[in-house]
Amino acid sequence: MAALPEYRWRLAPDGLATRRQLRAMGLRPGGQDVVAELQRPRRRRGPLVAYLYRIDRAKPVRPMTPGRRTALAKAMTARRTCPNCRRDAGYCIPRSLGMCVACSDSFAPAA
């Protein structure tokens, strides 16, 4: 298996982009294989790695369908609903708490 070419942070050649960069251009990888890696060095840990795709082979992003929009709205409502008080918290419930902040504060042990 051949190794992928590696480029340092901000030194990738023109014509290659990460998934986020493709999305910002209204594109998606479209099933193409990863062409190269982009590595951003860090001081005390291993480098951050992002995969690069060819822009000329990318396909347009699929349009949002009504069914997809409904499913996404239901999923976001579920993430915002507190399982204890059953109210919409107005923000996504932190997974670390498992409930809204108000319910979490009321369950805090008295010291």
Side-chain angles (χ1 to χ4, degrees):
M1 180 173 160
L4 293 173
E6 297 176 359
Y7 298 103
R8 290 187 54 92
W9 187 249
R10 298 179 189 246
L11 295 177
D14 292 336
L16 299 181
T18 63
R19 279 183 181 269
R20 283 189 177 190
Q21 290 169 335
L22 287 175
R23 187 63 179 205
M25 291 183 250
L27 301 171
R28 61 186 169 96
Q32 66 174 302
D33 291 331
V34 175
V35 177
E37 284 184 359
L38 184 68
Q39 294 193 353
R40 181 179 180 198
R42 297 190 290 181
R43 291 191 179 184
R44 293 185 175 91
R45 293 180 273 172
L48 289 174
V49 176
Y51 297 114
L52 297 172
Y53 301 90
R54 288 182 49 177
I55 295 173
D56 60 346
R57 289 189 184 171
K59 296 180 180 176
V61 174
R62 294 184 188 116
M64 183 68 74
T65 63
R68 222 185 250 175
R69 190 178 313 276
T70 303
L72 184 59
K74 285 182 182 179
M76 290 306 295
T77 300
R79 288 183 66 191
R80 295 166 54 114
T81 304
C82 177
N84 288 344
C85 62
R86 299 284 180 206
R87 286 186 285 171
D88 186 346
Y91 53 87
C92 289
I93 304 293
R95 293 180 65 196
S96 59
L97 298 177
M99 60 187 84
C100 66
V101 176
C103 289
S104 175
D105 288 346
S106 67
F107 283 119

XYZ file of all heavy atoms in Angstrom:
863
model
N 0.844 -1.182 0.000
C 0.000 0.000 0.000
C 0.889 1.244 0.000
O 1.768 1.402 0.826
C -0.887 -0.021 1.246
C -1.798 1.136 1.345
S -2.910 0.851 2.726
C -3.430 2.482 2.995
N 0.641 2.125 -0.916
C 1.441 3.340 -1.035
C 1.009 4.350 0.016
O -0.168 4.496 0.320
C 1.290 3.928 -2.423
N 1.976 5.033 0.574
C 1.684 6.060 1.578
C 1.191 7.328 0.886
O 1.560 7.638 -0.247
C 2.935 6.355 2.395
N 0.345 8.050 1.586
C -0.174 9.315 1.051
C 0.874 10.409 1.172
O 1.638 10.439 2.139
C -1.406 9.744 1.841
C -2.644 8.869 1.716
C -3.703 9.341 2.690
C -3.168 8.906 0.307
N 0.918 11.338 0.229
C 1.817 12.482 0.379
C 1.382 13.325 1.578
O 0.192 13.475 1.845
C 1.638 13.272 -0.912
C 0.793 12.474 -1.798
C 0.217 11.349 -1.032
N 2.349 13.840 2.299
C 2.067 14.665 3.480
C 2.552 16.091 3.229
O 3.657 16.298 2.731
C 2.781 14.098 4.710
C 2.317 12.725 5.098
C 3.115 12.161 6.261
O 4.052 12.848 6.749
O 2.820 11.035 6.674
N 1.694 17.049 3.585
C 2.045 18.456 3.463
C 1.927 19.098 4.830
O 1.075 18.733 5.631
C 1.103 19.166 2.475
C 1.187 18.610 1.081
C 0.199 17.758 0.598
C 2.256 18.928 0.248
C 0.274 17.238 -0.678
C 2.325 18.408 -1.039
C 1.338 17.569 -1.487
O 1.411 17.053 -2.756
N 2.784 20.052 5.090
C 2.707 20.781 6.357
C 1.601 21.827 6.281
O 1.131 22.186 5.213
C 4.042 21.439 6.681
C 5.102 20.405 7.045
C 6.389 21.012 7.526
N 6.223 21.931 8.625
C 6.302 21.599 9.922
N 6.509 20.371 10.265
N 6.169 22.515 10.843
N 1.210 22.302 7.434
C 0.139 23.282 7.580
C 0.361 24.459 6.651
O 1.456 25.026 6.606
C 0.118 23.739 9.034
C -1.007 24.629 9.408
C -0.918 25.943 9.740
C -2.380 24.285 9.507
N -2.151 26.435 10.040
C -3.080 25.432 9.915
C -3.096 23.114 9.294
C -4.444 25.454 10.105
C -4.451 23.131 9.490
C -5.104 24.292 9.894
N -0.634 24.821 5.881
C -0.645 25.942 4.943
C 0.271 25.771 3.731
O 0.534 26.722 3.010
C -0.315 27.257 5.638
C -1.319 27.618 6.712
C -0.923 28.912 7.375
N -1.753 29.147 8.531
C -2.620 30.141 8.633
N -2.765 30.987 7.663
N -3.333 30.276 9.720
N 0.788 24.574 3.505
C 1.688 24.370 2.373
C 1.142 23.373 1.355
O 1.883 22.846 0.538
C 3.067 23.908 2.866
C 3.836 24.920 3.716
C 5.155 24.322 4.193
C 4.095 26.201 2.940
N -0.147 23.120 1.384
C -0.749 22.199 0.419
C -0.821 22.874 -0.951
O -1.036 24.080 -1.047
C -2.141 21.791 0.879
N -0.657 22.108 -2.014
C -0.719 22.708 -3.348
C -2.138 23.124 -3.716
O -3.114 22.649 -3.134
C -0.217 21.584 -4.261
C -0.439 20.341 -3.500
C -0.332 20.681 -2.055
N -2.235 24.015 -4.684
C -3.541 24.438 -5.177
C -4.251 23.235 -5.804
O -3.613 22.336 -6.343
C -3.391 25.542 -6.224
C -2.865 26.832 -5.607
O -3.050 27.012 -4.393
O -2.285 27.637 -6.357
N -5.572 23.245 -5.732
C -6.346 22.156 -6.313
C -6.730 21.087 -5.315
O -7.471 20.168 -5.638
N -6.220 21.195 -4.073
C -6.588 20.262 -3.009
C -7.283 21.029 -1.892
O -6.958 22.182 -1.630
C -5.353 19.556 -2.437
C -4.526 18.710 -3.399
C -3.358 18.074 -2.661
C -5.377 17.642 -4.050
N -8.250 20.359 -1.237
C -8.991 21.014 -0.167
C -9.465 19.980 0.843
O -9.660 18.804 0.506
C -10.183 21.777 -0.731
N -9.654 20.423 2.088
C -10.214 19.562 3.125
C -11.734 19.504 2.953
O -12.315 20.245 2.178
C -9.889 20.105 4.528
O -10.515 21.377 4.673
C -8.391 20.229 4.742
N -12.385 18.642 3.733
C -13.847 18.543 3.678
C -14.506 19.884 4.010
O -15.470 20.287 3.361
C -14.352 17.497 4.671
C -14.259 16.098 4.183
C -14.858 15.161 5.236
N -14.773 13.801 4.827
C -15.723 13.160 4.148
N -16.820 13.786 3.816
N -15.564 11.905 3.805
N -13.994 20.541 5.041
C -14.573 21.836 5.421
C -14.411 22.870 4.321
O -15.298 23.675 4.064
C -13.939 22.345 6.708
C -14.460 21.662 7.929
C -13.965 22.351 9.158
N -14.529 21.727 10.337
C -14.436 22.213 11.546
N -13.784 23.341 11.745
N -14.974 21.592 12.562
N -13.270 22.880 3.700
C -13.047 23.832 2.616
C -13.956 23.522 1.425
O -14.494 24.439 0.799
C -11.580 23.816 2.191
C -10.653 24.402 3.232
C -9.195 24.142 2.917
O -8.848 23.184 2.224
N -8.327 24.997 3.457
N -14.125 22.238 1.128
C -15.045 21.859 0.053
C -16.463 22.303 0.387
O -17.174 22.846 -0.453
C -15.018 20.344 -0.170
C -13.784 19.761 -0.844
C -13.883 18.238 -0.877
C -13.590 20.312 -2.231
N -16.874 22.079 1.641
C -18.228 22.453 2.044
C -18.436 23.959 1.916
O -19.498 24.412 1.502
C -18.466 21.999 3.481
C -19.857 22.167 3.971
C -20.813 21.324 3.166
N -22.156 21.484 3.663
C -23.109 20.604 3.537
N -22.872 19.475 2.905
N -24.285 20.823 4.023
N -17.434 24.741 2.269
C -17.530 26.198 2.145
C -17.680 26.620 0.682
O -18.262 27.661 0.388
C -16.301 26.862 2.758
N -17.192 25.795 -0.235
C -17.332 26.075 -1.668
C -18.614 25.490 -2.240
O -18.871 25.604 -3.437
C -16.146 25.472 -2.422
C -14.829 26.135 -2.160
S -13.552 25.381 -3.192
C -12.604 24.511 -1.962
N -19.421 24.821 -1.384
C -20.655 24.201 -1.860
C -20.416 22.859 -2.526
O -21.204 22.434 -3.361
N -19.320 22.195 -2.155
C -18.951 20.911 -2.751
C -18.833 19.829 -1.688
O -18.806 20.121 -0.495
C -17.620 21.046 -3.496
C -17.569 22.070 -4.619
C -16.128 22.236 -5.098
C -18.470 21.672 -5.755
N -18.743 18.571 -2.128
C -18.508 17.429 -1.255
C -17.521 16.508 -1.957
O -17.361 16.577 -3.181
C -19.819 16.700 -0.970
C -20.479 16.143 -2.206
C -21.852 15.562 -1.907
N -22.565 15.269 -3.122
C -22.610 14.072 -3.712
N -21.988 13.047 -3.170
N -23.280 13.909 -4.821
N -16.827 15.621 -1.225
C -15.851 14.743 -1.877
C -16.471 13.846 -2.947
O -15.831 13.542 -3.945
C -15.287 13.913 -0.730
C -15.484 14.746 0.472
C -16.749 15.504 0.234
N -17.694 13.407 -2.762
C -18.372 12.646 -3.802
C -17.814 11.253 -4.030
O -17.824 10.765 -5.156
N -17.321 10.600 -2.987
C -16.852 9.224 -3.114
C -15.415 9.074 -3.571
O -14.924 7.950 -3.669
N -14.726 10.152 -3.826
C -13.333 10.040 -4.254
C -12.438 9.667 -3.072
O -12.764 9.913 -1.923
C -12.852 11.334 -4.893
C -12.777 12.520 -3.945
C -12.168 13.738 -4.588
O -11.045 13.690 -5.067
N -12.919 14.830 -4.612
N -11.328 9.047 -3.374
C -10.379 8.657 -2.334
C -9.579 9.861 -1.863
O -9.447 10.860 -2.576
C -9.408 7.592 -2.867
C -10.106 6.264 -3.127
O -11.101 5.975 -2.434
O -9.650 5.530 -4.019
N -9.020 9.731 -0.669
C -8.153 10.771 -0.119
C -6.887 10.838 -0.972
O -6.306 9.815 -1.324
C -7.800 10.448 1.352
C -6.808 11.439 1.893
C -9.060 10.413 2.191
N -6.462 12.052 -1.306
C -5.308 12.240 -2.173
C -4.041 12.489 -1.364
O -2.956 12.032 -1.728
C -5.554 13.424 -3.143
C -4.344 13.680 -4.012
C -6.767 13.150 -3.993
N -4.166 13.221 -0.248
C -2.993 13.568 0.548
C -3.428 13.899 1.977
O -4.616 13.962 2.281
C -2.278 14.770 -0.073
N -2.440 14.095 2.830
C -2.677 14.485 4.222
C -2.078 15.858 4.478
O -1.026 16.199 3.943
C -1.994 13.510 5.196
C -2.667 12.205 5.361
C -1.981 11.354 6.415
O -0.959 11.781 6.997
O -2.480 10.250 6.653
N -2.754 16.607 5.326
C -2.257 17.899 5.775
C -1.963 17.746 7.260
O -2.823 17.291 8.014
C -3.318 18.968 5.540
C -2.942 20.402 5.855
C -1.889 20.877 4.878
C -4.165 21.279 5.759
N -0.749 18.078 7.689
C -0.387 17.898 9.091
C -0.043 19.223 9.733
O 0.748 20.000 9.197
C 0.802 16.943 9.219
C 0.441 15.548 8.784
C 1.481 14.540 9.189
O 2.543 14.890 9.686
N 1.170 13.286 8.978
N -0.681 19.458 10.873
C -0.407 20.662 11.658
C 0.312 20.245 12.929
O -0.252 19.551 13.776
C -1.711 21.365 12.003
C -1.475 22.618 12.793
C -2.775 23.307 13.087
N -2.515 24.509 13.854
C -3.428 25.141 14.544
N -4.660 24.692 14.573
N -3.122 26.215 15.220
N 1.571 20.633 13.093
C 2.323 20.198 14.274
C 1.790 20.822 15.561
O 1.266 21.932 15.563
C 3.750 20.671 13.986
C 3.627 21.719 12.953
C 2.365 21.467 12.200
N 1.920 20.059 16.653
C 1.567 20.539 17.989
C 2.759 20.279 18.900
O 3.580 19.410 18.637
C 0.332 19.809 18.513
C -0.883 20.082 17.656
C -2.141 19.577 18.280
N -2.195 18.126 18.291
C -3.206 17.416 18.773
N -4.230 18.025 19.285
N -3.198 16.115 18.736
N 2.833 21.000 19.980
C 4.022 20.918 20.831
C 4.157 19.612 21.600
O 5.169 18.962 21.562
C 4.029 22.076 21.810
C 4.266 23.375 21.095
C 4.526 24.469 22.039
N 4.761 25.680 21.249
C 5.088 26.811 21.741
N 5.211 26.953 23.035
N 5.284 27.845 20.971
N 3.146 19.237 22.340
C 3.304 18.093 23.229
C 2.588 16.831 22.771
O 2.612 15.833 23.447
C 2.809 18.473 24.623
C 3.680 19.516 25.266
C 3.254 19.784 26.692
N 4.163 20.701 27.335
C 4.024 22.009 27.345
N 3.005 22.557 26.723
N 4.891 22.766 27.966
N 1.912 16.905 21.648
C 1.177 15.749 21.134
C 1.498 15.548 19.668
O 2.196 16.341 19.059
C -0.318 15.969 21.311
C -0.729 15.981 22.777
C -2.203 16.203 22.897
N -2.442 17.648 22.908
C -3.627 18.197 22.846
N -4.686 17.454 22.746
N -3.774 19.505 22.887
N 0.944 14.499 19.119
C 1.130 14.240 17.696
C 0.453 15.308 16.860
O -0.389 16.064 17.340
N 0.794 15.365 15.586
C 0.219 16.418 14.732
C -1.265 16.185 14.466
O -1.753 15.057 14.475
C 1.031 16.296 13.446
C 1.490 14.884 13.420
C 1.701 14.493 14.850
N -1.981 17.280 14.233
C -3.362 17.194 13.764
C -3.313 16.838 12.284
O -2.486 17.373 11.541
C -4.072 18.535 13.934
C -4.398 18.960 15.353
C -4.968 20.367 15.354
C -5.370 18.009 15.990
N -4.183 15.945 11.870
C -4.167 15.481 10.489
C -5.506 15.787 9.834
O -6.561 15.542 10.416
C -3.881 13.966 10.424
C -3.958 13.466 8.993
C -2.525 13.655 11.019
N -5.459 16.347 8.642
C -6.660 16.574 7.831
C -6.409 15.931 6.472
O -5.295 15.964 5.947
C -6.919 18.063 7.669
N -7.435 15.321 5.930
C -7.303 14.671 4.633
C -7.677 15.643 3.526
O -8.578 16.451 3.672
C -8.179 13.426 4.576
C -7.749 12.398 5.589
C -8.565 12.065 6.646
C -6.505 11.793 5.499
C -8.168 11.130 7.586
C -6.091 10.870 6.431
C -6.934 10.542 7.474
O -6.528 9.630 8.404
N -6.964 15.545 2.424
C -7.163 16.448 1.291
C -7.782 15.704 0.114
O -7.452 14.541 -0.142
C -5.827 17.056 0.864
C -5.142 17.936 1.899
C -3.733 18.303 1.425
C -5.947 19.174 2.158
N -8.691 16.389 -0.578
C -9.384 15.853 -1.735
C -9.175 16.787 -2.920
O -8.937 17.978 -2.741
C -10.889 15.745 -1.453
C -11.209 14.866 -0.279
C -11.303 15.395 1.005
C -11.416 13.508 -0.445
C -11.590 14.585 2.089
C -11.713 12.691 0.639
C -11.796 13.243 1.896
O -12.074 12.441 2.970
N -9.302 16.247 -4.124
C -9.155 17.060 -5.322
C -10.423 17.867 -5.551
O -11.533 17.343 -5.508
C -8.867 16.169 -6.528
C -7.469 15.603 -6.475
C -7.137 14.772 -7.663
N -7.467 15.447 -8.916
C -7.197 14.925 -10.103
N -6.609 13.763 -10.202
N -7.529 15.575 -11.188
N -10.254 19.148 -5.810
C -11.393 20.037 -6.021
C -12.071 19.732 -7.356
O -13.296 19.758 -7.459
C -10.954 21.513 -5.950
C -10.457 21.832 -4.542
C -12.090 22.442 -6.334
C -9.847 23.205 -4.393
N -11.290 19.401 -8.382
C -11.879 19.172 -9.701
C -12.738 17.903 -9.754
O -13.589 17.774 -10.622
C -10.795 19.140 -10.782
C -9.760 18.050 -10.559
O -9.695 17.485 -9.451
O -8.995 17.772 -11.507
N -12.545 16.966 -8.839
C -13.360 15.746 -8.793
C -14.530 15.852 -7.809
O -15.338 14.942 -7.717
C -12.505 14.553 -8.390
C -11.544 14.122 -9.449
C -10.917 12.820 -9.049
N -9.911 12.403 -9.997
C -9.095 11.396 -9.797
N -9.155 10.699 -8.684
N -8.211 11.074 -10.709
N -14.605 16.947 -7.069
C -15.673 17.121 -6.080
C -17.005 17.359 -6.782
O -17.061 17.877 -7.894
C -15.341 18.282 -5.158
N -18.071 16.942 -6.083
C -19.418 17.088 -6.622
C -20.174 18.134 -5.819
O -19.834 18.405 -4.674
C -20.156 15.758 -6.551
C -19.509 14.694 -7.409
C -20.268 13.402 -7.319
C -19.607 12.353 -8.192
N -20.266 11.059 -8.060
N -21.231 18.705 -6.394
C -22.016 19.689 -5.644
C -22.717 19.038 -4.450
O -23.044 17.853 -4.475
C -23.036 20.210 -6.645
C -22.756 19.555 -7.928
C -21.694 18.549 -7.757
N -22.950 19.824 -3.416
C -23.662 19.348 -2.241
C -25.100 19.045 -2.632
O -25.711 19.784 -3.405
C -23.635 20.426 -1.118
C -24.482 20.016 0.060
C -22.215 20.676 -0.683
N -25.621 17.940 -2.108
C -27.014 17.591 -2.395
C -27.940 18.608 -1.730
O -27.698 19.028 -0.607
C -27.323 16.205 -1.855
C -26.563 15.112 -2.566
C -27.006 13.760 -2.026
N -26.175 12.717 -2.558
C -25.369 11.947 -1.819
N -25.299 12.106 -0.522
N -24.655 11.017 -2.382
N -29.024 18.969 -2.385
C -29.940 19.950 -1.786
C -30.681 19.342 -0.592
O -30.892 18.137 -0.521
C -30.900 20.297 -2.923
C -30.835 19.132 -3.845
C -29.447 18.569 -3.726
N -31.086 20.215 0.340
C -31.838 19.792 1.511
C -33.269 19.465 1.084
O -33.954 20.298 0.514
C -31.839 20.907 2.562
C -32.529 20.555 3.849
S -31.704 19.302 4.810
C -30.334 20.206 5.468
N -33.713 18.233 1.377
C -35.071 17.822 1.037
C -35.992 18.117 2.215
O -35.520 18.254 3.353
C -35.126 16.327 0.708
O -34.746 15.590 1.870
C -34.183 15.983 -0.446
N -37.294 18.200 1.991
C -38.220 18.435 3.102
C -38.140 17.350 4.183
O -38.211 17.640 5.373
C -39.591 18.442 2.428
C -39.325 18.811 1.016
C -37.983 18.235 0.694
N -37.979 16.105 3.777
C -37.865 15.019 4.751
C -36.618 15.141 5.608
O -36.642 14.915 6.820
N -35.510 15.501 4.974
C -34.256 15.690 5.701
C -34.353 16.873 6.660
O -33.865 16.816 7.783
C -33.136 15.935 4.699
C -31.866 15.220 5.037
C -30.800 15.616 4.063
N -30.511 14.479 3.206
C -29.693 14.531 2.188
N -29.099 15.649 1.865
N -29.464 13.467 1.470
N -34.993 17.929 6.211
C -35.172 19.113 7.063
C -36.019 18.775 8.296
O -35.709 19.182 9.410
C -35.822 20.235 6.252
C -35.842 21.569 6.951
C -36.465 22.657 6.079
N -35.976 22.696 4.705
C -34.868 23.317 4.307
N -34.126 23.951 5.189
N -34.512 23.314 3.044
N -37.087 17.986 8.108
C -37.944 17.571 9.223
C -37.175 16.695 10.203
O -37.267 16.878 11.422
C -39.175 16.810 8.687
O -39.860 17.651 7.771
C -40.102 16.414 9.808
N -36.401 15.737 9.692
C -35.623 14.854 10.551
C -34.585 15.635 11.351
O -34.375 15.372 12.541
C -34.943 13.771 9.718
N -33.941 16.600 10.725
C -32.954 17.422 11.409
C -33.602 18.269 12.495
O -33.061 18.405 13.604
C -32.230 18.314 10.398
C -31.092 19.170 10.923
C -30.011 18.306 11.554
C -30.512 20.004 9.811
N -34.784 18.816 12.221
C -35.494 19.614 13.229
C -35.882 18.756 14.430
O -35.758 19.186 15.590
C -36.736 20.248 12.609
N -36.327 17.522 14.197
C -36.679 16.617 15.301
C -35.452 16.260 16.133
O -35.521 16.202 17.365
C -37.326 15.347 14.761
C -38.741 15.526 14.295
C -39.304 14.199 13.813
C -40.712 14.358 13.285
N -41.247 13.080 12.789
N -34.339 16.005 15.468
C -33.110 15.655 16.187
C -32.634 16.819 17.058
O -32.221 16.626 18.204
C -32.014 15.251 15.204
N -32.706 18.039 16.534
C -32.282 19.198 17.314
C -33.233 19.457 18.484
O -32.801 19.842 19.568
C -32.175 20.436 16.424
C -31.020 20.372 15.449
S -29.423 20.041 16.227
C -29.199 21.493 17.203
N -34.525 19.223 18.291
C -35.481 19.374 19.379
C -35.178 18.373 20.486
O -35.227 18.705 21.675
C -36.921 19.182 18.864
O -37.169 20.161 17.862
C -37.936 19.328 19.982
N -34.836 17.151 20.122
C -34.496 16.136 21.112
C -33.239 16.519 21.888
O -33.149 16.265 23.095
C -34.306 14.783 20.432
N -32.275 17.134 21.237
C -31.042 17.540 21.927
C -31.274 18.710 22.870
O -30.515 18.907 23.808
C -29.975 17.939 20.903
C -29.396 16.760 20.159
C -28.299 17.187 19.226
N -27.163 17.694 19.980
C -26.136 18.326 19.435
N -26.111 18.550 18.145
N -25.143 18.760 20.181
N -32.307 19.506 22.600
C -32.586 20.690 23.428
C -33.565 20.411 24.555
O -33.732 21.239 25.439
C -33.159 21.796 22.539
C -32.180 22.312 21.515
C -32.878 23.133 20.455
N -33.670 24.197 21.003
C -33.432 25.484 20.841
N -32.400 25.854 20.122
N -34.204 26.382 21.365
N -34.260 19.272 24.545
C -35.277 18.963 25.541
C -34.653 18.269 26.742
O -33.992 17.237 26.603
C -36.378 18.072 24.926
O -36.911 18.735 23.788
C -37.483 17.819 25.931
N -34.898 18.808 27.936
C -34.359 18.240 29.179
C -35.151 16.975 29.529
O -36.383 17.000 29.543
C -34.472 19.258 30.316
S -33.908 18.631 31.901
N -34.467 15.860 29.823
C -35.186 14.638 30.172
C -35.870 14.713 31.539
O -36.790 13.950 31.806
C -34.105 13.559 30.160
C -32.826 14.278 30.324
C -33.030 15.647 29.753
N -35.468 15.628 32.414
C -36.075 15.744 33.751
C -37.312 16.625 33.739
O -38.387 16.200 34.158
C -35.071 16.309 34.756
C -34.009 15.300 35.094
O -34.154 14.126 34.838
N -32.921 15.777 35.657
N -37.179 17.861 33.280
C -38.303 18.802 33.334
C -39.107 18.831 32.035
O -40.153 19.468 31.976
C -37.813 20.199 33.693
S -36.675 20.927 32.501
N -38.619 18.164 30.971
C -39.303 18.074 29.683
C -39.549 19.427 29.024
O -40.499 19.590 28.271
C -40.645 17.337 29.822
C -40.533 15.936 30.309
C -40.053 15.075 29.186
N -39.946 13.681 29.649
C -39.139 12.822 29.115
N -38.379 13.180 28.124
N -39.064 11.598 29.553
N -38.706 20.413 29.315
C -38.831 21.722 28.686
C -37.712 21.917 27.680
O -36.634 21.342 27.817
C -38.761 22.832 29.738
C -40.029 22.924 30.572
C -39.964 24.110 31.480
N -39.031 23.765 32.561
C -38.587 24.617 33.460
N -38.959 25.867 33.432
N -37.759 24.230 34.395
N -37.977 22.774 26.697
C -36.951 23.149 25.732
C -36.005 24.113 26.443
O -36.410 25.201 26.859
C -37.585 23.811 24.510
C -36.575 24.100 23.413
O -35.352 24.037 23.665
O -37.016 24.393 22.293
N -34.750 23.725 26.587
C -33.784 24.528 27.331
C -33.328 25.756 26.547
O -32.771 26.684 27.131
C -32.573 23.676 27.708
N -33.506 25.773 25.244
C -33.044 26.894 24.441
C -31.605 26.726 23.979
O -31.063 27.589 23.299
N -30.991 25.611 24.349
C -29.615 25.284 23.939
C -29.489 23.770 23.955
O -30.340 23.074 24.525
C -28.583 25.911 24.895
C -28.821 25.568 26.346
C -28.290 24.417 26.910
C -29.595 26.397 27.154
C -28.529 24.100 28.238
C -29.829 26.085 28.481
C -29.292 24.930 29.010
O -29.528 24.616 30.318
N -28.450 23.235 23.353
C -28.238 21.788 23.377
C -27.808 21.378 24.781
O -26.895 21.972 25.354
C -27.183 21.378 22.355
S -27.757 21.529 20.661
N -28.470 20.363 25.319
C -28.193 19.888 26.677
C -26.774 19.315 26.716
O -26.423 18.474 25.887
C -29.200 18.790 27.081
C -30.634 19.278 26.951
C -28.911 18.262 28.474
C -31.021 20.355 27.906
N -25.924 19.726 27.660
C -24.576 19.166 27.755
C -24.634 17.675 28.093
O -25.350 17.273 29.006
C -23.928 19.955 28.896
C -24.785 21.137 29.118
C -26.149 20.782 28.643
N -23.893 16.874 27.368
C -23.880 15.439 27.635
C -23.241 15.138 28.979
O -23.562 14.141 29.607
C -23.141 14.713 26.522
C -23.910 14.797 25.199
C -23.208 14.099 24.080
N -23.138 12.673 24.362
C -22.331 11.839 23.737
N -21.521 12.290 22.815
N -22.337 10.564 24.027
N -22.360 16.008 29.424
C -21.708 15.784 30.711
C -22.701 15.894 31.869
O -22.547 15.233 32.886
C -20.564 16.774 30.918
O -21.056 18.095 30.870
N -23.725 16.732 31.701
C -24.736 16.899 32.746
C -25.907 15.938 32.560
O -26.467 15.433 33.526
C -25.264 18.334 32.761
C -24.265 19.438 33.072
C -24.940 20.791 32.978
C -23.653 19.227 34.440
N -26.317 15.727 31.319
C -27.446 14.869 31.031
C -28.791 15.534 31.292
O -29.830 14.888 31.199
N -28.789 16.794 31.644
C -30.007 17.559 31.913
C -29.684 19.028 31.751
O -28.519 19.394 31.611
C -30.517 17.265 33.327
C -29.529 17.608 34.433
S -30.054 17.089 36.051
C -29.534 15.393 36.060
N -30.721 19.872 31.795
C -30.469 21.297 31.649
C -29.724 21.821 32.879
O -29.701 21.182 33.925
C -31.781 22.056 31.419
S -32.920 22.059 32.800
N -29.140 22.979 32.741
C -28.339 23.544 33.823
C -29.200 23.823 35.053
O -28.779 23.586 36.184
C -27.609 24.824 33.348
C -26.863 25.481 34.483
C -26.656 24.487 32.213
N -30.430 24.287 34.863
C -31.305 24.556 36.002
C -31.602 23.291 36.795
O -31.550 23.288 38.029
C -32.612 25.187 35.517
N -31.898 22.180 36.107
C -32.132 20.909 36.797
C -30.856 20.407 37.457
O -30.899 19.878 38.572
C -32.658 19.865 35.826
S -34.340 20.140 35.262
N -29.738 20.586 36.785
C -28.463 20.153 37.347
C -28.132 20.913 38.624
O -27.648 20.329 39.586
C -27.342 20.359 36.318
O -26.105 20.053 36.864
N -28.415 22.227 38.629
C -28.151 23.034 39.821
C -29.060 22.626 40.979
O -28.651 22.662 42.139
C -28.330 24.520 39.511
C -27.222 25.060 38.638
O -26.178 24.370 38.494
O -27.390 26.150 38.059
N -30.290 22.238 40.681
C -31.206 21.833 41.750
C -30.841 20.477 42.327
O -31.164 20.175 43.470
C -32.647 21.822 41.244
O -32.814 20.806 40.291
N -30.138 19.628 41.539
C -29.711 18.311 42.022
C -28.337 18.342 42.661
O -27.852 17.327 43.142
C -29.687 17.295 40.876
C -31.039 16.789 40.494
C -31.537 16.998 39.220
C -31.809 16.106 41.412
C -32.785 16.531 38.866
C -33.055 15.626 41.068
C -33.540 15.833 39.786
N -27.683 19.497 42.693
C -26.335 19.590 43.261
C -26.373 19.263 44.740
O -27.220 19.769 45.478
C -25.770 20.990 43.037
N -25.449 18.417 45.217
C -25.424 18.083 46.642
C -25.021 19.275 47.493
O -24.145 20.049 47.114
C -24.400 16.959 46.731
C -23.527 17.118 45.534
C -24.402 17.736 44.467
N -25.690 19.446 48.606
C -25.367 20.557 49.521
C -24.102 20.216 50.297
O -23.980 19.127 50.851
C -26.532 20.816 50.474
N -23.182 21.130 50.361
C -21.925 20.869 51.062
C -21.905 21.498 52.431
O -22.557 22.408 52.757
C -20.758 21.389 50.242
